[in-house]
Amino acid sequence: MNARASGVLGAVLFASASTMGLCPGWATSAAWADAPTASAEDRRQAAKDFAEGDHAFKEGDFRQAAESYERAYHRVPHHSALWNAARAWHRAGELARAANFYARYLREAPPNARDRNSAQRAVNDLSSRLARLEIHATDVGSLKLDGEPVDAASVYVTPGAHVVEGRTRDDRPVREAQTVEPGDVISIALAPPPPAPPKEVAPPPPAPPPPVHGWSPVVVYFGGALTLALAGITVWSGFDTLSQKSAFDRSPTPNNLSVGQQKETRTNVLIAASSGVAVLTAATALLLVDWHGGGSHEKAPEAHVQVGAGPGSFLVRGEF
């Protein structure tokens, strides 16, 4: 018996079973005999799977029946197997699967298909107890719903939490989670994530400020010379004061007393001045003078200081 004759015989047997109310609905295995792209082996196996589905349906094993009808459809796609699978899943209580197979049957069956109205009524009834996800994928493939491949943009799901995921062209994962209630129609958009912003390049650190050069050592030299000069004048003033004291001791007149007091005051002022200059010179030498020349190898200018002192006079002259 050739494959076409076998298919016709299967159709006759199925039609007989349908008239006795044993099968889930109208379908014909002869459709596989007419499938031009299916191999003889695929047609034979599809007819066998379909017959196994009929047997399981009659026995009340609706899940097994649905799986058999699905195998028949995958071997040789035909809307008859979709209708029978939908009815079997419906009887098994798998409402979301049943609604999706009803919807697929409505998409693929011809306009004059016998069970279109029944399928539409079933979808309308199940819609109030299920939710529907409208999946819009832009440049995203390998779509999955809760880990199972998705073959349609509109999918019925049971109320609760669901995850839609896919992968971009450069194999990056895209994922959206959604919780739905009965009767919901939710749109889910899957799109590649925006490109990562370019990494900001840190600006170069600011240039260090130019080194601050301290004062020239000439200042210390000048301060030291001034300190020595003041010290010398102070010593001279001290001796002069002692001399005036001797004059007062010999002749304690008011004039000698006044002159002695003036010289003593002058000596005290000179002591304070020479001490102050000495302290300032030392502080300048320690804190303000750049003894290394600021890193420069240029020769520092030479300083010439001349100091002169005499009775009642003091001279300091410098050349820099």
Side-chain angles (χ1 to χ4, degrees), residues 66 115 128 165 191 222:
D115 296 297
S128 61
E165 56 189 337
F222 181 78

Side-chain angles (χ1 to χ4, degrees), residues 24-274:
W26 183 85
T28 173
S29 57
W32 295 305
D34 297 329
T37 59
S39 67
E41 177 62 19
D42 284 338
R43 292 195 298 269
R44 187 185 68 79
Q45 287 294 336
K48 179 181 177 182
D49 291 333
F50 200 95
E52 289 177 356
D54 290 346
H55 177 75
F57 196 94
K58 288 186 295 182
E59 296 295 327
D61 189 351
F62 302 114
R63 179 178 293 274
Q64 179 62 42
E67 292 174 353
S68 296
Y69 292 134
E70 284 192 46
R71 286 197 301 273
Y73 176 82
H74 290 309
R75 294 184 189 278
V76 182
H78 192 272
H79 59 274
S80 299
L82 294 175
W83 165 253
N84 283 14
R87 293 287 292 162
W89 283 124
H90 202 161
R91 295 287 187 88
E94 296 283 352
L95 303 186
R97 287 192 175 188
N100 286 316
F101 272 96
Y102 284 131
R104 188 166 184 176
Y105 170 79
L106 291 172
R107 291 195 302 270
E108 297 186 15
N112 60 347
R114 173 177 172 177
D115 296 297
R116 288 192 69 89
N117 291 336
S118 297
Q120 188 62 63
R121 285 193 299 269
V123 169
N124 294 341
D125 175 65
L126 293 174
S127 295
S128 61
R129 290 182 281 172
L130 301 171
R132 190 170 83 244
L133 300 180
E134 298 290 342
I135 303 173
H136 304 277
T138 303
D139 294 330
V140 176
S142 303
L143 295 180
K144 291 184 178 181
L145 172 62
D146 299 331
E148 296 294 330
V150 176
D151 56 10
S154 181
V155 185
Y156 288 93
V157 295
T158 56
H162 298 277
V163 176
V164 180
E165 56 189 337
R167 304 197 75 85
T168 62
R169 293 178 179 177
D170 54 354
D171 204 34
R172 287 182 295 165
V174 183
R175 184 178 184 273
E176 289 290 338
Q178 183 68 53
T179 300
V180 294
E181 301 292 337
D184 282 350
V185 178
I186 304 296
S187 178
I188 294 182
L190 287 182
K199 293 183 179 180
E200 295 185 1
V201 180
V212 178
H213 299 291
W215 291 359
S216 170
V218 173
V219 177
V220 177
Y221 301 152
F222 181 78
L226 182 58
T227 300
L228 291 175
L230 288 173
I233 296 173
T234 300
V235 171
W236 165 80
S237 180
F239 282 116
D240 188 45
T241 301
L242 291 176
S243 176
Q244 181 63 32
K245 182 177 183 303
S246 298
F248 175 78
D249 290 339
R250 290 192 301 269
S251 177
T253 62
N255 182 57
N256 285 336
L257 177 62
S258 176
V259 172
Q261 290 175 340
Q262 292 176 0
K263 291 184 178 183
E264 184 180 16
T265 300
R266 180 192 65 195
T267 301
N268 291 336
V269 170
L270 288 171
I271 292 173
S274 58

Side-chain angles (χ1 to χ4, degrees), residues 16 19 58 86 110 185 193 207 269 283 295 297 313:
S16 300
T19 60
K58 288 186 295 182
V185 178
V269 170
H297 297 286
S313 65

